Every structure is written in C-alpha cells, then in structure tokens.
Amino acid sequence: MTLAPWRSPLSRALDLNRSLVYARYLQLATVRADGRPANRTIVFRGFLADTNQLAFVTDSRSQKADQIDDQSWGEACWYFLETREQFRLAGQLILVRENNANTDLQKARQSAWQELSDAARLQFAWPHPGQNRANSEAFEPPPPNPTEPLLNFCLLLLDPVQVDHLELRGEPQNRWLYQLDSAGVWLTQEINP
C-alpha cells in the first residue's frame, strides 16, 4: 500500500507539534439519525497498519457509536497551533465492535486496547455513558484485563477520501486539496486559501 500524499504533511505537523499534549486531539463531526450534526473531540491513536486510516477508540454504549453504521461518513478537523495548520479529513467511518468478522480488524482492536493506559481502559468499565449520574462507587470498578478488550470497547477508523490542508502562515496562505478518485488514486490540487 502506498501512503497518501497528505500523510507526509500531516506527519510533519504531528512531529513539529509533538511537545503539545493536545496536538493529538481533534474534532470529529457525524450526523445524527434526525439529520442534525454532532461534533466531539477525540484522541488520535495512530494509523491502522499499512493503511491511510486514522484510528481512534470509543465505547459502543456512547452516542457516537449509535451514529455510526456501515454507511456512515464523518469529517475530522485538526488544528496544529505550533505550525498554524489545519487538516480537514472527510471519509467513511468504520466501527470495529467485538463481533466484527474481519480478523485483521479484530487484531487491531485488541492491539488498540492493549496500547491504552490502565486509566483509559478503566473508563470502559465505568457506568453507561450519557445516562443519569451513577454513585461514586460505580466509577471505581476492578481494573479490566489489559490483554482482552471489554465487549463495549470499539476501534473507530476514519478512511479519508478527501483531505483539505491549510497552512495559515505565509502571505498568501497555502492550501491543498487531496481527493481519492474512483480508481483509488490520490489527486493533489493547490487551491486558493
């Protein structure tokens, strides 16, 4: 698999902003069943091996998971403060649940679980997200098994088909549009900021 041409500028931005803890946070927009937009901040967990797919994690009990089915689309917006760059990545969302039939995706789900900190894994054992607040004891469950994901743990992938990269420094500013064509080839176009 060849890396998409937008991967190099994104990797560069990640590297140059690595000293900023929040550089791993980006916003993901989806559409609710009623057609209304939903936006939230998520944590970038890396790229799925040998792909251009961005990896995140989520709880299958969350509203975010409810908004993702086999045909879901989303757009992530990532701003890097240090380099003054924005990346908007639009594409199909893939939610890898505990019953996903693809063994490679199940292995990736398990690896994502194992790479989480103990504190992050523990959050998946907390009470149901979005429900009425539980008592404080409910937020002190026994630590989950660090090698086997809890059933509600999901790997979330964004498979971009369009990436809009804007550099806000410079006069004039620079902007590129990357689009995946029907033959699976990435096209790059420099556009006006």
Side-chain angles (χ1 to χ4, degrees):
M1 198 257 353
T2 357
L3 294 182
W6 51 266
R7 285 281 303 268
S8 180
L10 180 57
S11 294
R12 184 178 106 333
L14 282 163
D15 185 54
L16 292 173
N17 288 271
R18 71 183 174 278
S19 65
L20 306 173
V21 172
Y22 50 81
R24 293 184 24 214
Y25 302 132
L26 60 152
Q27 284 63 51
L28 176 67
T30 56
V31 179
R32 296 182 178 113
D34 63 4
R36 293 174 31 210
N39 194 13
R40 81 278 298 152
T41 301
I42 56 177
V43 179
F44 176 61
R45 303 289 177 175
F47 288 95
L48 186 66
D50 301 322
T51 74
N52 291 309
Q53 296 174 344
L54 289 81
F56 315 98
V57 298
T58 193
D59 192 315
S60 66
R61 304 170 298 169
S62 71
Q63 292 174 341
K64 179 186 336 149
D66 287 343
Q67 295 162 7
I68 300 169
D69 60 27
D70 292 340
Q71 303 299 317
S72 293
W73 290 84
E75 183 170 275
C77 186
W78 211 338
Y79 182 72
F80 294 98
L81 188 62
E82 192 72 28
T83 55
R84 299 184 59 217
E85 291 175 89
Q86 175 182 270
F87 289 83
R88 289 178 37 222
L89 305 105
Q92 188 154 25
L93 293 168
I94 302 159
L95 189 65
V96 183
R97 297 177 184 267
E98 85 285 349
N99 60 354
N100 190 292
N102 183 314
T103 55
D104 289 335
L105 290 180
Q106 278 300 342
K107 287 177 188 172
R109 176 180 170 266
Q110 185 170 8
S111 291
W113 174 260
Q114 293 169 355
E115 291 168 6
L116 291 178
S117 68
D118 291 341
R121 278 194 293 271
L122 191 61
Q123 292 178 20
F124 288 90
W126 284 358
H128 195 291
Q131 300 296 314
N132 289 334
R133 180 73 178 206
N135 62 39
S136 57
E137 293 82 35
F139 292 94
E140 298 172 6
N145 182 333
T147 57
E148 285 301 317
L150 293 176
L151 294 179
N152 55 301
F153 174 78
C154 297
L155 175 65
L156 176 61
L157 303 171
L158 173 61
D159 193 8
V161 296
Q162 180 175 306
V163 176
D164 187 331
H165 174 209
L166 173 64
E167 288 181 339
L168 292 169
R169 56 181 160 38
E171 282 296 325
Q173 301 161 344
N174 298 303
R175 187 173 174 195
W176 296 269
L177 184 64
Y178 304 91
Q179 293 182 326
L180 190 62
D181 72 9
S182 59
V185 175
W186 282 97
L187 308 173
T188 305
Q189 180 182 4
E190 194 167 357
I191 60 176
N192 291 329

